[in-house]
Amino acid sequence: MPDHHVDHLQPVLRGLAAGTDPAQLLHDIVRGAMVATKAAEAGILRVTGRSTTPVVTSGELSRSAAEGAQAAIDSGRLVRRRDPGSTATAAAEPLRAGSRVTGALVVGGTMQRLDPAALPLYGAAASLVLGRQVASTPEALPDLLDSLSDIASDLDTHATLGRVFDAAQSLFGTAAGFCALFDRGTVRVAHYRGITQERMLIVARHAEFKALVRSESLRIDPPTHPVVAQLTRLSEVAVTLPLEAEGRHLGQLVLLLGATPDAERQALLVSFSQHVGRCLRSAELFRSLADHQEQVTAMVHSMATPVVVVDEAGQLTEMNGAASEAFRLAGEFDCNQSVIGRLGNKTLEQMLTAGDDHTTEVVLGGDEARVYRATVRRMRSGTGRVMGRILVLDDLTGEREIMTLKSDFVAVIGHELRTPLTVMKGYLHTLIRRSETLTGEKREQALAALKSNVTRLERLIEDLLFMSAIDERRCQLDLEVHDLSVILDARASDRVIVRRPRWPIKLELDQAKLEQVLHHLLDNALKYSEGQVILELAEKPDALEIAVTDSGPGIFSGDIPQLFERFRQLDSTSTRAHGGVGIGLYIARRVVEAMGGRIWCESRLGVGSRFVFTLPNHSSTRMLPKHGRLGNTLP
């Protein structure tokens, strides 16, 4: 608590001790409260019967101030009120005599300036003046303010309780005691002094302990009380004081005193406990706020999305690791610095320093540029106060790549469907109109073309359906024992040379799926090369290795990792010339992996390419029943 707050209160308490006119003291309290809270108006109101009467005011109170004072009296806690038609706001602290609300101290001003942190101290002083609660203990008055100021100087609960017992010893000569706090229905001894831990444990287990710490008003127990007898060393009495704030019973303060306090000293003890309750509540709120702030900070920093926060002056106040990486910032070293010139993007910097809420798309990065949706929003408190701006970047790069991929795929599919349909349409037109005049050779040529293009369409549709089944994990392998040599020999032609061991090689496999893999690999090799293609089988110690080698133009090494992904076509010109939709190698990879093997590519530019895949080398003597079906599902 700043020293100038104490300077305004000390004359009031000294005036009480000297018997100064209470009206003058109340005027001093109002003036001091206005300075301490930076208020434009202030006043003290007293409850008289069923009405509330102004006692001292700096002028005619505004409506928000009058309503705030009445709300504080009705609720018995600190209240804030804001005028919805302006920036005027008010704060009011209830005044008490014991547990009874006797009035309110209210201050009013603008929302930006009003700081009611010191209001409880001035409210306590006003309560003392109105009730003359400590008028007969003038020796304690100068120390009371200093003690209350010390207690409220820290918002850590443990530190606050330590100063409470320091103040109790100074004001009341307390040598020992403890503070029990209520935590979710349980009682927790949060602090004790002058009592050993072993003795405190014994006392906490006593049957009368619960009744002692549940008292709702001041309670004095003699040394003969069963709990007090366990605590006292010199026949002290135990004074139990409830700690309350904002209508909540926070706990109990138990002090051991050398003698039974008189009525005036009891009033001072009650006032002391009221301020302790408020300080503990403030510490509780501060801890809750700090925990919440840590949770929010941890949440922001754990996000993969870049987040930047600036204040109203455009200075960086917070950024997470993703933002530091995206903008090459130095984290805490860049905080409290202007955002201008630090993000490397004028659009974002302008959005963070001026204008209303806005959303746009930006491109960040150098060689590996990424597209982001940048959203800037103003941050406002619960009372509507502007607290700065926040920038959130959503990475759209993957989404844009998928959209481009889909667009290209639709275009390729359209081309692949149109080509055979055009051929089929032409031959069907010829057969319909000139069937009787066509020679047998021409008719056979037309029918062969129709069959070839129907097969092409059928294979395209089957590939698309198979890819869909893979993605939805609905495709199973039907395993039977087959002679792999026979399957490979069936692929031999004038351009395809098969090289394999001369003996039969029987294996558990899905023949249809294997032939699908061979078809895609051989089809690519024949399309992208003009010479012979070699289909080779080699037996390895733990696998069978099947390779398709061509003498085509080869593949750039940087493109090889993309070969086996969906819709990947490395050269659009040659792809359009040779056809294809970019799913053959993807299907081949997924089938090979489902059968327990792997697939890769070896290529040199200008020399050719070699596509290789493996199959597990199971023993040829392991036989399965005919048409045996295994539940191997494609991953």
Side-chain angles (χ1 to χ4, degrees):
M1 186 67 65
D3 292 339
H4 64 270
H5 294 169
V6 177
D7 292 342
H8 290 293
L9 280 175
Q10 282 181 338
V12 174
L13 295 180
R14 292 196 178 98
L16 274 170
T20 304
D21 181 14
Q24 180 60 46
L25 296 178
L26 292 176
H27 279 285
D28 293 341
I29 291 173
V30 168
R31 286 194 295 268
M34 289 180 64
V35 174
T37 61
K38 301 177 183 178
E41 60 176 336
I44 295 175
L45 295 84
R46 183 199 297 269
V47 176
T48 55
R50 295 185 179 181
S51 62
T52 303
T53 305
V55 178
V56 178
T57 62
S58 60
E60 184 177 356
L61 294 178
S62 63
R63 185 179 65 177
S64 59
E67 291 178 352
Q70 189 60 52
I73 292 171
D74 294 338
S75 64
R77 59 184 178 86
L78 179 67
V79 171
R80 294 190 182 189
R81 280 289 186 274
R82 180 186 174 192
D83 186 352
S86 66
T87 61
T89 187
E93 172 74 12
L95 307 181
R96 299 176 182 273
S99 60
R100 183 171 57 89
V101 176
T102 59
L105 170 62
V106 63
V107 293
T110 61
M111 180 176 60
Q112 293 81 3
R113 286 181 52 83
L114 190 66
D115 181 11
L119 197 59
L121 282 179
Y122 284 88
S127 296
L128 294 176
V129 174
L130 287 178
R132 299 181 181 273
Q133 293 179 332
V134 296
S136 61
T137 56
E139 70 283 355
L141 295 180
D143 295 333
L144 176 62
L145 184 58
D146 293 337
S147 298
L148 296 179
S149 178
D150 287 340
I151 293 172
S153 64
D154 198 322
L155 291 176
D156 176 74
T157 300
H158 183 73
T160 298
L161 289 174
R163 283 189 292 273
V164 165
F165 282 95
D166 291 340
Q169 183 175 9
S170 174
L171 292 171
F172 312 113
T174 303
F178 67 89
C179 179
L181 299 181
F182 302 150
D183 185 9
R184 299 178 182 178
T186 63
V187 178
R188 175 176 61 90
V189 177
H191 196 92
Y192 52 90
R193 180 173 295 184
I195 306 170
T196 64
Q197 182 179 13
E198 293 76 11
R199 183 61 57 186
M200 197 69 244
L201 290 173
I202 293 173
V203 169
R205 297 190 185 101
H206 200 282
E208 297 291 332
F209 179 78
K210 185 176 181 180
L212 184 70
V213 297
R214 291 289 184 180
S215 175
E216 296 182 358
S217 60
L218 183 143
R219 168 175 171 167
I220 301 175
D221 292 294
T224 56
H225 186 278
V227 174
V228 180
Q230 297 289 336
L231 298 174
T232 183
R233 296 172 300 174
L234 300 173
S235 300
E236 297 104 335
V237 297
V239 178
T240 303
L241 300 165
L243 302 177
E244 298 178 346
E246 300 179 358
R248 287 182 53 198
H249 194 176
L250 303 178
Q252 215 77 10
L253 180 64
V254 179
L255 303 177
L256 297 181
L257 304 181
T260 301
D262 57 19
E264 295 161 351
R265 183 69 65 175
Q266 290 178 26
L268 185 60
L269 284 164
V270 169
S271 179
F272 177 77
S273 67
Q274 291 172 352
H275 288 283
V276 171
R278 294 190 185 99
C279 290
L280 289 177
R281 177 57 178 161
S282 297
E284 182 183 84
L285 293 174
F286 178 78
R287 184 177 66 253
S288 176
L289 180 62
D291 291 344
H292 178 71
Q293 184 176 0
E294 287 184 4
Q295 290 174 356
V296 172
T297 301
M299 180 178 65
V300 169
H301 281 273
S302 64
M303 293 174 61
T305 301
V307 177
V308 176
V309 180
V310 300
D311 59 18
E312 273 299 284
Q315 291 185 329
L316 291 165
T317 60
E318 193 72 60
M319 71 196 75
N320 63 358
S324 298
E325 182 177 351
F327 297 113
R328 303 181 185 276
L329 297 173
E332 294 183 358
F333 292 99
D334 282 300
C335 286
N336 301 319
Q337 302 293 327
S338 174
V339 73
I340 300 298
R342 295 196 174 269
L343 302 186
N345 187 290
K346 293 184 178 179
T347 301
L348 297 180
E349 293 170 359
Q350 184 177 4
M351 290 168 62
L352 283 169
T353 53
D356 297 324
D357 296 350
H358 192 63
T359 300
T360 188
E361 290 186 7
V362 295
V363 179
L364 301 178
D367 298 335
E368 299 181 359
R370 305 193 69 82
V371 181
Y372 292 93
R373 181 193 298 114
T375 303
V376 172
R377 294 285 184 268
R378 282 191 173 227
M379 300 185 301
R380 299 180 183 275
S381 66
T383 59
R385 182 168 59 92
V386 177
M387 303 177 67
R389 292 180 173 87
I390 182 171
L391 165 67
V392 179
L393 297 178
D394 295 314
D395 195 341
L396 302 179
T397 307
E399 181 180 331
R400 292 301 171 83
E401 289 179 351
I402 292 175
M403 292 176 61
T404 303
L405 204 60
K406 288 182 177 179
S407 178
D408 292 344
F409 174 69
V410 170
V412 170
I413 285 293
H415 175 79
E416 287 297 304
L417 291 174
R418 182 181 299 150
T419 300
L421 287 174
T422 301
V423 174
M424 294 169 63
K425 182 178 179 180
Y427 277 111
L428 284 172
H429 184 75
T430 300
L431 289 174
I432 292 172
R433 300 192 60 181
R434 300 172 52 196
S435 175
E436 297 179 356
T437 61
L438 288 177
T439 63
E441 181 182 356
K442 291 291 185 181
R443 187 178 290 106
E444 289 295 330
Q445 181 181 356
L447 292 174
L450 287 171
K451 180 181 179 181
S452 173
N453 282 277
V454 167
T455 302
R456 180 178 176 181
L457 284 174
E458 184 181 28
R459 189 177 296 278
L460 173 61
I461 293 172
E462 286 179 353
D463 284 348
L464 292 174
L465 292 176
F466 182 70
M467 185 188 67
S468 176
I470 291 175
D471 292 340
E472 295 179 6
R473 301 177 182 270
R474 293 185 292 103
C475 186
Q476 291 185 321
L477 298 179
D478 294 326
L479 301 181
E480 297 180 11
V481 176
H482 293 278
D483 188 345
L484 192 55
S485 302
V486 175
I487 297 175
L488 297 184
D489 288 343
R491 293 287 173 174
S493 66
D494 57 341
R495 287 188 59 192
V496 178
I497 299 175
V498 178
R499 294 177 181 174
R500 63 170 181 82
R502 290 179 294 177
W503 51 86
I505 299 177
K506 294 185 178 182
L507 195 67
E508 300 170 3
L509 52 84
D510 186 326
Q511 181 176 354
K513 300 294 190 300
L514 177 62
E515 289 182 345
Q516 197 172 16
V517 174
L518 293 174
H519 166 75
H520 286 301
L521 296 182
L522 290 172
D523 186 57
N524 282 345
L526 293 171
K527 284 194 299 186
Y528 292 100
S529 67
E530 297 180 355
Q532 291 183 329
V533 174
I534 298 174
L535 175 59
E536 184 177 9
L537 170 63
E539 288 187 291
K540 301 296 181 180
D542 58 347
L544 295 174
E545 189 175 280
I546 302 173
V548 176
T549 306
D550 64 60
S551 57
I555 303 170
F556 176 63
S557 60
D559 291 332
I560 290 178
Q562 305 177 32
L563 282 175
F564 300 98
E565 299 298 325
R566 284 181 298 180
F567 314 136
R568 294 292 185 180
Q569 295 177 313
L570 304 182
D571 185 277
S572 59
T573 303
S574 62
T575 298
R576 295 298 177 266
H578 296 290
V581 295
I583 63 175
L585 292 180
Y586 170 73
I587 291 175
R589 174 176 70 86
R590 297 302 300 271
V591 170
V592 169
E593 290 175 351
M595 291 191 293
R598 64 188 186 93
I599 188 170
W600 68 93
C601 174
E602 302 166 354
S603 184
R604 291 178 59 188
L605 289 175
V607 176
S609 302
R610 182 171 183 261
F611 285 82
V612 189
F613 69 92
T614 63
L615 295 175
N617 190 10
H618 298 299
S619 172
S620 60
T621 60
R622 182 182 175 190
M623 303 293 290
L624 289 178
K626 188 68 172 177
H627 303 299
R629 183 180 181 88
L630 296 183
N632 292 9
T633 304
L634 287 177

